[in-house]
Amino acid sequence: MSHLIILILSLSTIMILAYRGYSTIITAPIISLITLFLTFGLDSHLMANYTLVYMDGFAGFVKNYFPLFLTGAIFAKLMEETGYAHAIAHFITKWIQPKRAILAVVLSGALLTYGGVSLFVVAFVLYPIATLLFKEADIPKRLIPGTIALGAFTFTMTALPGSPEIQNVIPMTYFKTDTFASPIIGLIASILMFTLGMIYLNFRAKSAHKNHEGYGFNEEMKSKTSSKKPSIWLAISPIVIIFTLNLFFSKVYYPNVDGTYLESFNTTLDSMSGTWSVIISIAIAILFILLLNIKKIKNLQSILDTGVKNSFIPLLNSSAIVGYGSIIKTLPIFLGIQTMILNLSPNPIIAEALSVNIICGLTASASGDLGITLNALAPTFLQMSEPLGITPEILHRIASLSSGGLDTLPHNGAVITTLAIFGLTHKQAYKDIFVTSVVIPIFVTFLMVLGTSLIFV
């Protein structure tokens, strides 16, 4: 019981400090070490755990995602400087109307994530577009992170059949399914998440308007290279390039490449090709923008430097949280919680939903802890499901849906990254992220679990 109290206090402290605006780069390692000390006492080998466990998790995230953060930040800066983002925003405003800025950003985020673009990159790509749209519509800037969360962190991440996001890919390994598993459940869940999220965000925007609250920031987001806007076809071409090339590399090229050489690196092509596809696609899109605008861009060095700087803080904040998660996973209570949750219900659908959601919530990581939970419990879920006629496809979809609830608590890496990109604090903008990416997905998952249980159990 004391270990559980320590874990709750640890999680509560890091969430409260994140909400109050304290950098996780500082708080995460300190709270990790305090948690170890309170759990194991003087035998916790604090420095060994800090340098070998915490920093391994921290460095592992940097190793895996630094290229994505870097290319994503540079791409976003170039989209702003060339006027492409402004042209897209102007086009959307013209045809969808300014009052539909929320819908435009949600659909843009959904398109990018369904195209396979990493959640961490989506915020960078949408930054200049969303800022311009919300400013033109005079909608508070604090609503942008919640809007991006609805489009990128919810239905396209866990529910929409065929999504290439890792949260929809991981269950395939354990249930021998594909990304289109249980399409009916996935489609219903997607429609519900989208609809409820839009109702909430539009309500928030109308409430702000009634209170005479507008965009609220005075920054200028105009093209700095030309007073004439590029054509919409030229402006969207870099995004089309990312979408098309990512689809080509991930679905056509790499599946036909012999990846046995990676065995010497203790990895597989399947685990690396998704990241490689996105990095290559963004890099080519960056080159495309540079080649078309090389004569117009007078401050290329400054643009690249700004892009690099913009990538650092979000990357380090996210890495700090991953390091914290690495420490939490070493605690004895972590495995005990998994076992306890499994014993809460003989219904495999309920047991799976609870275990995945809560374990993901402990370290605020949907992908990492989804793998941990299914690695330990998937065979049990399959065994429990067989007499009830519950298919592996249903288990796949429920597992994926469940990973997208408690994962986006205040200390989640994608949440911290998105807020840092837009220069907002948890106090200013997390409430809307919480509703769109925690409350609504959990409610929808509950409905899917309830409906499926009534049919099979």
Side-chain angles (χ1 to χ4, degrees), residues 78 81-82 84 224-226 286-300 303:
L78 285 171
E81 291 287 334
T82 55
Y84 288 5
K224 299 177 182 179
T225 57
S226 173
I286 288 173
L287 289 175
F288 174 80
I289 295 174
L290 289 175
L291 287 174
L292 290 187
N293 297 275
I294 194 67
K295 293 183 179 179
K296 299 178 183 177
I297 297 176
K298 305 300 182 182
N299 55 338
L300 179 58
I303 292 173

Coordinates of all heavy atoms in Angstrom, one line a residue, residues 78 81-82 84 224-226 286-300 303:
L78 N 9.8 27.3 -42.6 CA 9.8 27.6 -44.0 C 8.4 27.8 -44.6 O 8.2 28.7 -45.4 CB 10.5 26.4 -44.8 CG 12.1 26.4 -44.7 CD1 12.6 25.1 -45.3 CD2 12.7 27.6 -45.3
E81 N 7.7 31.4 -43.5 CA 8.5 32.4 -44.2 C 8.2 32.6 -45.6 O 8.3 33.7 -46.2 CB 10.0 32.1 -44.0 CG 10.5 32.2 -42.6 CD 10.6 33.7 -42.1 OE1 10.8 34.5 -43.0 OE2 10.5 33.9 -40.9
T82 N 7.9 31.5 -46.3 CA 7.6 31.6 -47.8 C 6.2 32.0 -48.1 O 5.8 32.3 -49.2 CB 7.8 30.2 -48.4 OG1 7.0 29.2 -47.7 CG2 9.3 29.8 -48.3
Y84 N 3.6 30.2 -47.6 CA 2.7 29.0 -47.9 C 1.6 28.8 -46.9 O 0.5 28.6 -47.2 CB 3.6 27.8 -48.0 CG 4.4 27.7 -49.3 CD1 4.5 28.8 -50.2 CD2 5.2 26.6 -49.5 CE1 5.3 28.7 -51.3 CE2 6.0 26.5 -50.7 CZ 6.1 27.6 -51.5 OH 6.9 27.5 -52.7
K224 N 7.1 37.0 -45.0 CA 8.1 38.0 -44.9 C 8.9 38.0 -46.2 O 9.9 38.7 -46.3 CB 9.0 37.6 -43.8 CG 8.3 37.6 -42.4 CD 9.2 37.2 -41.3 CE 8.5 37.2 -40.0 NZ 9.3 36.8 -38.8
T225 N 8.5 37.2 -47.2 CA 9.3 37.2 -48.4 C 8.6 37.8 -49.6 O 9.3 38.2 -50.6 CB 9.6 35.7 -48.8 OG1 8.4 35.0 -48.9 CG2 10.5 35.0 -47.7
S226 N 7.3 37.9 -49.6 CA 6.6 38.5 -50.7 C 5.3 39.0 -50.3 O 4.6 38.3 -49.5 CB 6.5 37.5 -51.8 OG 5.7 37.9 -52.9
I286 N 11.3 19.9 -47.5 CA 12.1 21.0 -47.2 C 12.9 21.4 -48.4 O 13.0 22.6 -48.8 CB 13.0 20.7 -46.0 CG1 12.2 20.7 -44.7 CG2 14.1 21.8 -45.8 CD1 12.9 20.2 -43.5
L287 N 13.6 20.4 -49.0 CA 14.4 20.7 -50.2 C 13.5 21.3 -51.4 O 13.9 22.2 -52.1 CB 15.0 19.4 -50.7 CG 16.2 18.9 -49.9 CD1 16.7 17.5 -50.4 CD2 17.3 19.9 -49.8
F288 N 12.3 20.8 -51.5 CA 11.4 21.3 -52.5 C 11.1 22.8 -52.3 O 11.1 23.6 -53.2 CB 10.1 20.5 -52.5 CG 9.0 21.0 -53.4 CD1 9.0 20.7 -54.7 CD2 8.0 21.8 -52.8 CE1 8.0 21.2 -55.5 CE2 6.9 22.3 -53.7 CZ 6.9 21.9 -55.0
I289 N 10.8 23.2 -51.0 CA 10.5 24.6 -50.7 C 11.7 25.4 -51.0 O 11.6 26.5 -51.6 CB 10.1 24.7 -49.2 CG1 8.8 24.0 -49.0 CG2 10.0 26.2 -48.9 CD1 8.4 24.0 -47.5
L290 N 12.9 24.9 -50.6 CA 14.1 25.7 -50.8 C 14.4 25.9 -52.3 O 14.8 27.0 -52.7 CB 15.3 25.0 -50.1 CG 15.3 25.0 -48.6 CD1 16.5 24.2 -48.0 CD2 15.4 26.5 -48.0
L291 N 14.3 24.9 -53.1 CA 14.6 25.0 -54.5 C 13.7 26.0 -55.2 O 14.1 26.7 -56.1 CB 14.5 23.6 -55.2 CG 15.6 22.6 -54.8 CD1 15.3 21.3 -55.4 CD2 16.9 23.1 -55.3
L292 N 12.4 26.0 -54.8 CA 11.4 26.9 -55.4 C 11.6 28.3 -54.9 O 11.1 29.3 -55.6 CB 10.0 26.4 -55.2 CG 9.6 25.1 -55.9 CD1 8.1 24.9 -55.8 CD2 9.9 25.2 -57.4
N293 N 12.2 28.5 -53.8 CA 12.2 29.9 -53.2 C 13.6 30.4 -52.9 O 13.8 31.3 -52.1 CB 11.4 29.9 -51.9 CG 9.9 29.6 -52.1 OD1 9.1 30.5 -52.4 ND2 9.6 28.3 -52.0
I294 N 14.6 29.7 -53.5 CA 16.0 30.0 -53.2 C 16.4 31.5 -53.4 O 17.2 32.1 -52.7 CB 17.0 29.1 -53.9 CG1 18.4 29.2 -53.3 CG2 17.0 29.4 -55.4 CD1 18.5 28.6 -51.9
K295 N 15.8 32.1 -54.5 CA 16.1 33.5 -54.8 C 15.3 34.4 -53.9 O 15.7 35.6 -53.7 CB 15.8 33.7 -56.3 CG 16.7 33.0 -57.2 CD 16.4 33.4 -58.7 CE 17.3 32.7 -59.6 NZ 17.0 33.0 -61.0
K296 N 14.2 34.0 -53.4 CA 13.3 34.8 -52.5 C 13.8 34.9 -51.1 O 13.6 35.9 -50.4 CB 11.9 34.4 -52.6 CG 11.3 34.4 -54.0 CD 9.8 33.9 -53.9 CE 9.2 33.8 -55.3 NZ 7.8 33.2 -55.3
I297 N 14.3 33.8 -50.6 CA 14.8 33.7 -49.2 C 16.1 34.3 -49.0 O 17.1 33.9 -49.5 CB 14.8 32.2 -48.8 CG1 13.4 31.5 -48.9 CG2 15.4 32.1 -47.3 CD1 13.4 30.1 -48.5
K298 N 16.1 35.4 -48.3 CA 17.3 36.2 -48.1 C 18.0 35.9 -46.8 O 19.2 36.2 -46.5 CB 17.0 37.7 -48.1 CG 16.3 38.1 -49.4 CD 17.1 37.9 -50.7 CE 16.4 38.4 -51.9 NZ 17.1 38.1 -53.1
N299 N 17.3 35.2 -45.9 CA 17.8 35.0 -44.5 C 17.8 33.5 -44.2 O 17.3 33.1 -43.1 CB 17.0 35.8 -43.5 CG 15.5 35.5 -43.6 OD1 15.0 35.0 -44.6 ND2 14.8 35.8 -42.5
L300 N 18.3 32.7 -45.1 CA 18.2 31.2 -44.9 C 18.9 30.7 -43.6 O 18.3 29.9 -42.9 CB 18.8 30.5 -46.1 CG 18.8 29.0 -46.1 CD1 17.4 28.4 -45.9 CD2 19.5 28.4 -47.3
I303 N 16.6 31.4 -40.7 CA 15.5 30.5 -40.7 C 15.8 29.2 -40.2 O 15.1 28.6 -39.3 CB 14.9 30.4 -42.1 CG1 14.3 31.7 -42.6 CG2 13.8 29.3 -42.2 CD1 13.8 31.7 -44.0

